[in-house]
Amino acid sequence: MSEHVHAPVETLALREQFNTAEQQKESVTFGMWIFLITEVMFFGGLFLAYTVYRSTYPVVFGVASTSLNAVIGALNTAVLLCSSFTMVLAVRSAQLGRRRALVLFLILTLLLGMAFLGVKAYEWNEKFVEHHVPGAGFHFEGAAEQGPAQLFFSLYFAMTGLHALHMVVGAGILCWLLYHAVRGRFTAEYMTPVDVAGLYWHFVDIIWIFLFPLLYLIDRHMR
Amino acid sequence: MTTAAIETQANYLNAGYGLKSWLLTKDHKRIAILYLILVTIFFSIGGIFAALIRVELLTPQGDLVSSETYNKLFTMHGIAMIFFFLIPAIPATLGNFVLPMMIGARDLAFPRINLLSWYLLVVGGGFALFAMLAGGVDTGWTFYTPYSTTYSNTWVIATALGIFVSGFSSILTGLNFIVTIHRMRAPGMTWFRMPLFVWAHYATSVIQVLGTPVVAVTIVLVFCERVFHIGIFDPALGGDPVLFQHMFWFYSHPAVYIMVLPAMGVVSEIISTFSRKPIFGYHFVAYSSMAIAVLGFLVWGHHLFVSTQSVYAGLVFSFLSYFVAVPSAVKVFNWTATLYKGSISFATPMLYAFGFIGLFTIGGLTGLFVASLGFDVHVTDTYFVVAHFHYVMVGGTIMAFLGGLHFWWPKITGRMYPENWAKLSAAIIFVGFNLTFFPQFILGYLGMPRRYHVYPEEFQVLHVLSTAGASILAFGYLFPMIYFMWSLWYGERAPANPWGATGLEWTVPSPPPIHNFDEVPVVTHEAYDYSTVVKEGVEVV
């Protein structure tokens, strides 16, 4: 510890349990990767349920899938991809120590994330109007078997709902980053939080990249 | 060292005395003690349910409680014991305390997340406790659908929420350990110089991180199905209740290894220390932990032999279940080989370790019985299965937990426990345990189904034996609770290394200083190198 010029008090850049700032950065990044693995397993359960029921009821799932609005879905995918791009730019700005650029890109990422959630809310509302929400009032006109059709929409709401929940958490993290970025807490030497928040944001993005084709696109050719 | 000199030393216990200094601590050693208190509370709650179950089973008529109450009793016994005692018991208390010290670290990689995971267990336990007090839950600890989603009128949601939240406690502990083991090792502490306790916890953490999220999402789906009626597992909609069983056991079978791998780590430390020999075949024992973690994920289907699972899947799962016995046997054989020509002392931790080896062997071998398709059809849902998993979980995990607690008690508290009382209670626990659960093998083989409180009269003798054993066992568990508390005030002061053990945790004073090591230790020798230790202080008989 005596090698350090700074006072030996605990700082954000070097917590007391670490010997060097590099060890801390490596540990935090590694920790986030492990957390993302747990997230893969978490969503994995849903993907498993989807796979099982899709192979059991291929026709009903195909018909139910084509009732989703692929154009809006594609638009939302584009919005999300743009948010990942601005997140990368935010991380890069933090690496270069450009505070104003960091703040700008964080705001842009947040706005694009909000736009995605807004469009999602519009889509969910459509399902309410069309009685495609699972439960007592469920009715899907396109299929004779109402049960499996309801299973599809149960999975649709569970998967997009949990994804949206992760987006909301991500938005919270972005607000926290923004608060500290405005106050100038991140420097070129200490920007690990921006880095790992970026990892999380991209992960949530990638989940959508799998959800979109599975839920919206996979049966388009059957129309 | 004089007593006065020890007393004036700054350590993690006298660093602060207020409630705040405990509830807001980031010190892994204090968090370990917080966990110890919490899991002891849940062990006691689970124990009370077990006592009520055993008293009810004294008579064949089912006269103490109604069937509905009995369903709740065994459900809540399982939930309290599995999710709030067995899973956190060894990793979150002993692991939390000694793992960073064993690898020469000042703390875990993420001390605040460590504290958070304790609070998550408190919140999760709070939900479960609320459900228990508000009227209980009756689905069995397995929450099988569609009963849990559609028919049960008990507190399923509160309990499920409690298990969901406590699952994140488990995930975060595993994450913390993995990062700590990868990134926080002291200079010279290579992977194959780590104590086997650390290897066991690494393997455990891998399971916690990969398995727990799957049961978490399964619980979310059960929750959604109950609250929003969306019906993922509902057969009325064409959903598949067996899918729930697959997803549940994908976590819950590996969870058995979350419970028993840390126990094996404890036993490795004790066996080596009290025979003063390095563990025979260190590399094999280290790799066997990883092999159990990996193979443990491939055997869940043996819980579904009598479900609609195809017979070919059953064959594969049966074969893989046999396969997982190989690394388990490697450990047992290597411990035995370690004892050969060792300088063995029968201190209390060693008695527990011997108890573990014997009981785990019985539990493991009967595991092979139930892994075979034909025999399993005969004993499915009988007391044979109950006896089998209690031999593994109680005979294995709790024996090792108590052994480890005695082993590291001097380090944790700076006090010795009373050796003779400890030996006596170890013997009582061993006798009581076998008397409780061995008759259940016979009961199950004769056809006594689990989860019933009314039974034919010819089973009564065996049930009475089992209840008698449980009474003895209860006394065996009460003794350590009493003399451990007693030792905090009246126990002899513990030297730094009372057992002459090799780990880095024994190189610092008991209790350890706040940051464990004044300067970062440099490791120059292999694990269990007894030429480097000088034994001081207490003579072990």
Side-chain angles (χ1 to χ4, degrees):
Chain A
M1 299 296 279
S2 54
E3 300 160 26
H4 294 275
V5 191
H6 305 292
V9 289
E10 191 181 62
T11 63
L12 275 178
L14 185 59
R15 298 281 183 184
E16 63 183 9
Q17 69 271 23
F18 296 108
N19 293 322
T20 62
E22 197 187 349
Q23 186 191 21
Q24 171 167 333
K25 187 176 163 56
E26 278 179 357
S27 300
V28 172
T29 312
F30 186 48
M32 180 49 94
W33 277 108
I34 307 265
F35 178 73
L36 295 184
I37 290 173
T38 71
E39 289 279 25
V40 169
M41 297 306 289
F42 187 80
F43 279 98
L46 289 170
F47 284 116
L48 171 76
Y50 175 89
T51 310
V52 168
Y53 290 142
R54 211 194 109 79
S55 63
T56 315
Y57 307 108
V59 177
V60 181
F61 264 52
V63 177
S65 160
T66 48
S67 79
L68 298 178
N69 191 332
V71 177
I72 292 186
L75 177 78
N76 231 2
T77 309
V79 169
L80 207 54
L81 285 174
C82 286
S83 83
S84 255
F85 181 62
T86 54
M87 190 70 219
V88 172
L89 292 176
V91 172
R92 187 63 188 150
S93 310
Q95 278 172 348
L96 297 174
R98 294 183 184 156
R99 196 180 82 186
R100 292 183 62 182
L102 171 62
V103 171
L104 174 72
F105 287 125
L106 285 177
I107 291 174
L108 276 178
T109 311
L110 190 59
L111 288 177
L112 288 166
M114 287 296 139
F116 175 89
L117 285 174
V119 175
K120 203 71 234 161
Y122 168 76
E123 280 189 277
W124 283 336
N125 184 53
E126 265 191 336
K127 300 288 163 293
F128 273 100
V129 174
E130 294 163 356
H131 294 280
H132 289 175
V133 178
F138 180 83
H139 178 71
F140 185 72
E141 51 295 328
E145 294 174 281
Q146 290 294 305
Q150 186 168 335
L151 281 181
F152 175 84
F153 283 100
S154 295
L155 283 165
Y156 168 81
F157 274 96
M159 292 167 110
T160 57
L162 278 172
H163 177 260
L165 199 63
H166 279 78
M167 294 285 295
V168 172
V169 171
I173 295 171
L174 285 175
C175 291
W176 182 86
L177 286 180
L178 207 49
Y179 171 76
H180 288 289
V182 169
R183 294 175 69 199
R185 297 286 281 279
F186 301 122
T187 59
E189 289 75 40
Y190 175 65
M191 45 73 69
T192 320
V194 186
D195 213 16
V196 296
L199 285 176
Y200 175 83
W201 191 262
H202 297 317
F203 169 79
V204 178
D205 196 354
I206 287 169
I207 289 291
W208 179 258
I209 297 300
F210 281 91
L211 288 182
F212 175 57
L214 283 182
L215 293 171
Y216 290 74
L217 298 182
I218 205 158
D219 293 300
R220 299 310 289 185
H221 65 279
M222 286 173 61
R223 290 182 96 168
Chain B
M1 248 190 272
T2 63
T3 312
I6 297 173
E7 212 144 26
T8 50
Q9 260 176 8
N11 61 52
Y12 83 102
L13 286 172
N14 63 21
Y17 289 99
L19 194 63
K20 223 176 118 185
S21 76
W22 281 91
L23 293 181
L24 294 178
T25 185
K26 290 186 289 171
D27 185 344
H28 68 101
K29 300 183 286 300
R30 285 193 167 209
I31 295 171
I33 289 180
L34 293 177
Y35 266 116
L36 182 60
I37 295 167
L38 193 60
V39 299
T40 307
I41 291 171
F42 274 99
F43 177 71
S44 309
I45 293 172
I48 291 168
F49 291 133
L52 290 169
I53 291 169
R54 282 316 322 167
V55 173
E56 163 61 61
L57 290 172
L58 266 177
T59 55
Q61 288 85 21
D63 34 20
L64 181 69
V65 294
S66 66
S67 306
E68 286 78 13
T69 311
Y70 187 77
N71 290 347
K72 290 177 183 172
L73 286 177
F74 69 70
T75 300
M76 296 187 294
H77 166 68
I79 287 167
M81 287 302 199
I82 288 172
F83 294 108
F84 299 101
F85 175 71
L86 286 165
I87 286 177
I90 297 181
T93 57
L94 300 175
N96 228 333
F97 197 97
V98 294
L99 187 141
M101 301 178 76
M102 278 181 163
I103 60 171
R106 278 193 293 276
D107 207 318
L108 288 172
F110 308 118
R112 288 185 299 174
I113 289 181
N114 195 20
L115 183 63
L116 172 68
S117 66
W118 182 74
Y119 276 104
L120 287 174
L121 194 65
V122 171
V123 173
F127 277 118
L129 203 57
F130 164 76
M132 290 170 186
L133 295 176
V137 59
D138 68 348
T139 57
W141 76 278
T142 48
F143 292 99
Y144 272 17
T145 55
Y147 183 71
S148 63
T149 48
T150 313
Y151 301 108
S152 175
N153 288 319
T154 54
W155 293 86
V156 179
I157 292 173
T159 314
L161 213 55
I163 291 167
F164 179 79
V165 174
S166 69
F168 281 93
S169 165
S170 184
I171 289 173
L172 292 177
T173 303
L175 187 154
N176 222 337
F177 282 1
I178 292 178
V179 176
T180 305
I181 294 168
H182 270 273
R183 292 278 182 262
M184 309 289 280
R185 281 172 289 126
M189 179 56 80
T190 59
W191 281 89
F192 290 104
R193 280 180 182 169
M194 296 195 309
L196 290 164
F197 182 85
V198 181
W199 270 107
H201 276 72
Y202 187 75
T204 308
S205 304
V206 168
I207 302 173
Q208 284 176 309
V209 160
L210 292 179
T212 320
V214 178
V215 82
V217 78
T218 311
I219 292 171
V220 168
L221 291 176
V222 168
F223 179 88
C224 289
E225 194 158 337
R226 247 188 114 84
V227 179
F228 307 122
H229 306 287
I230 68 167
I232 299 270
F233 304 117
D234 188 355
L237 297 175
D240 188 357
V242 179
L243 178 65
F244 169 86
Q245 296 183 25
H246 279 290
M247 290 170 72
F248 178 82
W249 287 113
F250 181 82
Y251 163 76
S252 294
H253 191 78
V256 174
Y257 303 112
I258 295 179
M259 302 174 211
V260 85
L261 273 170
M264 292 166 157
V266 170
V267 171
S268 293
E269 298 301 311
I270 295 175
I271 292 282
S272 168
T273 300
F274 293 98
S275 50
R276 288 190 76 75
K277 268 183 69 189
I279 289 287
F280 180 82
Y282 169 95
H283 285 78
F284 278 90
V285 180
Y287 281 128
S288 68
S289 288
M290 298 312 292
I292 289 173
V294 173
L295 291 170
F297 274 109
L298 306 175
V299 301
W300 78 88
H302 65 218
H303 294 270
L304 287 81
F305 282 163
V306 296
S307 73
T308 56
Q309 179 178 265
S310 86
V311 73
Y312 299 105
L315 281 172
V316 172
F317 280 121
S318 173
F319 174 76
L320 288 169
S321 305
Y322 284 134
F323 209 64
V324 84
V326 175
S328 310
V330 163
K331 283 183 189 288
V332 172
F333 290 137
N334 284 27
W335 290 325
T336 316
T338 306
L339 296 171
Y340 180 66
K341 286 191 174 170
S343 160
I344 297 171
S345 51
F346 292 92
T348 310
M350 192 63 155
L351 296 183
Y352 280 109
F354 282 143
F356 175 96
I357 295 177
L359 301 180
F360 175 75
T361 303
I362 296 176
L365 287 176
T366 51
L368 290 179
F369 293 18
V370 290
S372 59
L373 285 164
F375 187 80
D376 186 66
V377 171
H378 178 60
V379 297
T380 287
D381 273 339
T382 67
Y383 267 78
F384 192 90
V385 177
V386 175
H388 154 68
F389 69 70
H390 279 87
Y391 262 81
V392 176
M393 291 181 189
V394 186
T397 307
I398 299 185
M399 289 302 251
F401 176 61
L402 285 171
L405 206 53
H406 285 85
F407 185 55
W408 282 294
W409 190 257
K411 183 55 61 187
I412 294 171
T413 63
R415 301 281 186 164
M416 302 301 294
Y417 55 83
E419 185 70 32
N420 288 332
W421 280 102
K423 280 184 178 166
L424 177 68
S425 39
I428 291 174
I429 288 173
F430 186 79
V431 171
F433 174 83
N434 281 297
L435 188 56
T436 311
F437 292 106
F438 200 82
Q440 297 187 4
F441 278 125
I442 306 167
L443 272 173
Y445 188 78
L446 295 176
M448 169 81 201
R450 67 193 284 199
R451 295 180 169 178
Y452 281 80
H453 72 144
V454 180
Y455 57 85
E457 277 183 19
E458 56 263 39
F459 290 149
Q460 192 177 8
V461 175
L462 289 165
H463 269 304
V464 169
L465 279 179
S466 183
T467 302
S471 318
I472 297 172
L473 193 56
F475 276 104
Y477 288 144
L478 276 178
F479 281 152
M481 288 191 195
I482 295 164
Y483 66 68
F484 273 144
M485 293 306 289
W486 176 89
S487 77
L488 291 180
W489 286 274
Y490 306 108
E492 206 182 318
R493 296 270 174 190
N497 190 1
W499 317 122
T502 53
L504 284 177
E505 78 270 27
W506 302 106
T507 61
V508 298
S510 311
I514 305 170
H515 293 304
N516 301 345
F517 303 97
D518 292 333
E519 44 193 276
V520 179
V522 177
V523 182
T524 52
H525 52 84
E526 305 302 306
Y528 313 113
D529 182 353
Y530 286 90
S531 64
T532 61
V533 231
V534 184
K535 190 163 149 185
E536 49 171 305
V538 181
E539 205 50 47
V540 180
V541 187

